[in-house]
């Protein structure tokens, strides 16, 4: 220690106690007659006994030139805190810094402690704990910083800044450690496959600090239909209940966890609905002109994935290649079947059946192709267009029921009377899917 350093506190006016030590040069202010002096006087290396005899007045401390100092008229008092410790919030893995501001520290020392464990972390410039993540620094012995690197949730709690006065002075600061959300694999739901008409419960569990909020959304932005019948864009809460699921509920659901600490996380849960094939035939009766190309179409829905093909009246499968080309367009559980005939000849007239099969069942639909005369060689027959329009309005849902091979007029006449309420409801469901 520099011999010109002076460490002394003021005389306590309540106890008349002097806190002084390591004094090398002292000037007594103001002048006192008790020591036979009419003016200020100097003393070197004063003893505690000498200081105790001083009157109850502040000690004015000065470094005279003979003490090799330029400081003059300095009053030294007991240290105190200049401001409370500001509470700190730090993300996990980052560095947290608590600041303790001390005034007039002099020769006193500052220590940092962990309150809940009563662990001494640092004393002055020295780290006491064996925790390598703890550090200490200061700014001109005034602001003392406790550094906690790579903070962990276990570091959350109260910390004490302490000055070794008698009695000891201390103040507290709180460290809050925030943790981004994390979705737990268990008990969060995995991908799920159920039969159509079942009740489904999806669960999502997440941890973090603060506790994350859970939001459910559909990956494609579709609305979620609640048990009440209401359709909403999102649902809050860790559990999502869906009553009597149907194929419209099929798809990916996102469990999104957020708590204000980035990053927000999500888990994708695939809901798969199993159901047997169902068929929709846009045109059940199609007029075709000999020598011209023709395309027959069937629409089906099925899951698991179905096997799809075309047959003729006697059950023989329509071959692929030559003048026939069969195309199947798949979109999730929706199937668009096309049979393209490059040039119609007399053998192509008759019934064609589109067949769809999966592990839960099978269905088919029949399209009848009839002969239509070409009125002009260079113009499109307007009656042909009218026939196609009428045919496109003849929508029928098929299961394993066979369709009677009747002429077009009988099919139109009996269509409305033969549709049941169940068939109408299913048709509306298909229309909603395909439109």
């Amino acid at each position: 220690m520099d011999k010109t350093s002076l460490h002394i506190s003021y005389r306590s006016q309540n106890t008349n106690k002097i806190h002084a030590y390591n004094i090398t040069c002292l000037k007594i202010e103001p002048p006192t007659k008790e020591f036979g002096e009419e003016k200020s006087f100097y003393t070197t290396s004063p003893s505690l006994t000498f200081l105790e005899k001083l009157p109850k007045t502040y000690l004015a401390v000065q470094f005279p030139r003979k003490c090799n100092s330029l400081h003059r008229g300095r009053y030294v008092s007991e240290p105190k805190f200049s401001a409370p410790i500001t509470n700190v919030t730090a993300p996990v893995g980052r560095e947290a810094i608590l600041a303790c501001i001390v005034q007039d520290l002099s020769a006193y020392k500052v220590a940092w402690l962990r309150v809940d464990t009563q662990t001494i972390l640092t004393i002055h410039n020295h780290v006491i704990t064996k925790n390598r993540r703890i550090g200490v620094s200061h700014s001109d012995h005034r602001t003392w910083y406790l550094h906690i690197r790579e903070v962990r949730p276990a570091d959350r709690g109260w910390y004490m800044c302490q000055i070794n006065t008698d009695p000891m002075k201390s103040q507290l600061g709180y460290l809050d450690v925030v943790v981004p959300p994390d979705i737990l694999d268990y008990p969060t739901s995995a991908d799920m496959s159920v039969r159509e008409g079942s009740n489904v419960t999806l669960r999502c569990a997440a941890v973090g600090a603060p506790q994350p909020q859970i939001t459910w959304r559909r990956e494609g932005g579709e609305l979620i239909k609640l048990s009440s019948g209401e359709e909403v864009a999102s649902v809050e809460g860790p559990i999502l209940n869906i009553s009597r699921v149907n194929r419209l509920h099929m798809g990916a659901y996102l469990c999104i966890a957020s708590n204000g600490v980035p990053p927000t996380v999500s888990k994708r849960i695939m809901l798969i609905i199993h159901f047997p094939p169902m068929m929709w035939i846009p045109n059940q009766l199609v007029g075709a002109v000999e020598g011209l190309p023709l395309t027959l179409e069937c629409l089906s829905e099925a899951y698991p994935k179905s096997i799809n093909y075309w047959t003729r009246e006697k059950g023989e499968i329509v071959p692929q290649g030559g003048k026939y080309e069969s195309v199947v367009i798949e979109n999730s559980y929706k199937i668009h079947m096309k049979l393209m005939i490059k040039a119609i000849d007399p053998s192509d007239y008759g019934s064609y059946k589109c067949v769809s099969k999966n592990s839960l069942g099978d269905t088919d639909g029949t399209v009848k192709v009839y002969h239509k005369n070409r009125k002009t060689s260079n113009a499109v027959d307007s009656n042909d267009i009218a026939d196609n329009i009428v045919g496109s309005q003849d929508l029928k849902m098929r299961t394993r029921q066979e369709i009677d091979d009747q002429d077009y007029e009988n099919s139109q006449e009996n269509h409305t009377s033969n549709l049941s309420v169940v068939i109408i409801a299913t048709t509306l469901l298909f229309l909603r899917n395909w439109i």
Side-chain angles (χ1 to χ4, degrees), residues 328-348:
V328 176
I329 302 172
E330 299 182 3
N331 180 14
S332 183
Y333 57 86
K334 300 177 183 180
I335 305 295
H336 189 176
M337 300 173 61
K338 292 183 179 182
L339 178 62
M340 292 176 281
I341 306 174
K342 295 180 180 179
I344 292 290
D345 62 39
S347 64
D348 294 321

Side-chain angles (χ1 to χ4, degrees), residues 159-388:
Y159 291 81
M160 176 185 291
C161 175
Q162 184 182 101
I163 307 174
N164 65 333
T165 54
D166 186 16
M168 173 267 295
K169 293 182 179 182
S170 65
Q171 60 179 357
L172 302 178
Y174 189 80
L175 171 61
D176 187 19
V177 180
V178 293
V179 183
D182 183 32
I183 296 177
L184 304 176
D185 290 334
Y186 181 83
T188 298
S189 300
D191 292 347
M192 188 177 299
S193 298
V194 297
R195 287 294 297 266
E196 193 169 39
S198 304
N199 296 329
V200 171
T201 298
L202 300 180
R203 292 181 172 86
C204 185
V207 294
Q211 181 63 34
Q213 300 293 320
I214 303 298
T215 302
W216 292 93
R217 295 183 184 275
R218 297 200 61 174
E219 186 178 54
E222 304 94 334
L223 296 180
I224 301 174
K225 188 173 183 179
L226 304 179
S227 303
S228 61
E230 181 185 3
E231 292 185 336
V232 296
S234 63
V235 175
E236 302 293 331
I239 296 177
L240 175 62
N241 291 313
I242 307 175
S243 300
R244 298 185 59 81
V245 295
N246 59 52
R247 64 203 66 182
L248 297 180
H249 292 109
M250 184 184 295
Y253 290 76
L254 297 178
C255 156
I256 304 170
S258 60
N259 64 353
V261 183
T264 295
V265 295
S266 64
K267 181 176 180 179
R268 184 178 186 266
I269 302 172
M270 192 68 186
L271 178 60
I272 300 172
I273 311 299
H274 287 186
F275 55 94
M278 300 189 76
M279 191 74 70
W280 174 33
I281 307 171
N283 302 311
Q284 290 182 315
L285 191 61
V286 178
V289 176
E290 187 174 341
L292 294 182
L294 177 67
T295 298
L296 305 180
E297 295 181 281
C298 286
L299 304 175
S300 69
E301 294 183 356
Y303 204 91
K305 189 176 179 179
S306 59
I307 298 173
N308 308 281
Y309 56 92
W310 292 86
T311 65
R312 293 299 304 269
E313 292 100 332
K314 296 181 180 181
E316 65 272 22
I317 296 177
V318 176
Q320 176 73 13
K323 68 176 179 178
Y324 298 108
E325 182 179 358
S326 179
V327 177
V328 176
I329 302 172
E330 299 182 3
N331 180 14
S332 183
Y333 57 86
K334 300 177 183 180
I335 305 295
H336 189 176
M337 300 173 61
K338 292 183 179 182
L339 178 62
M340 292 176 281
I341 306 174
K342 295 180 180 179
I344 292 290
D345 62 39
S347 64
D348 294 321
Y349 294 115
S351 296
Y352 292 80
K353 186 177 290 185
C354 48
V355 182
S356 180
K357 295 182 178 182
N358 73 0
S359 59
L360 301 178
D362 59 272
T363 187
D364 58 57
T366 302
V367 181
K368 183 176 180 181
V369 179
Y370 66 93
H371 179 268
K372 185 169 61 175
N373 293 324
R374 178 166 20 189
K375 294 183 179 180
T376 60
S377 59
N378 296 324
V380 177
D381 189 347
S382 61
N383 290 328
D384 293 344
I385 298 176
D387 288 341
N388 285 336

Side-chain angles (χ1 to χ4, degrees), residues 382-427:
S382 61
N383 290 328
D384 293 344
I385 298 176
D387 288 341
N388 285 336
I389 293 174
V390 172
S392 67
Q393 294 174 346
D394 187 15
L395 306 179
K396 280 197 174 183
M397 301 309 303
R398 298 307 190 95
T399 57
R400 276 305 301 163
Q401 299 175 353
E402 297 289 341
I403 181 171
D404 294 333
D405 187 13
Q406 301 175 351
D407 59 32
Y408 178 70
E409 290 77 15
N410 288 336
S411 175
Q412 283 291 97
E413 178 180 342
N414 295 328
H415 173 62
T416 304
S417 62
N418 291 333
L419 280 175
S420 67
V421 174
V422 175
I423 296 298
I424 293 174
T426 312
T427 302

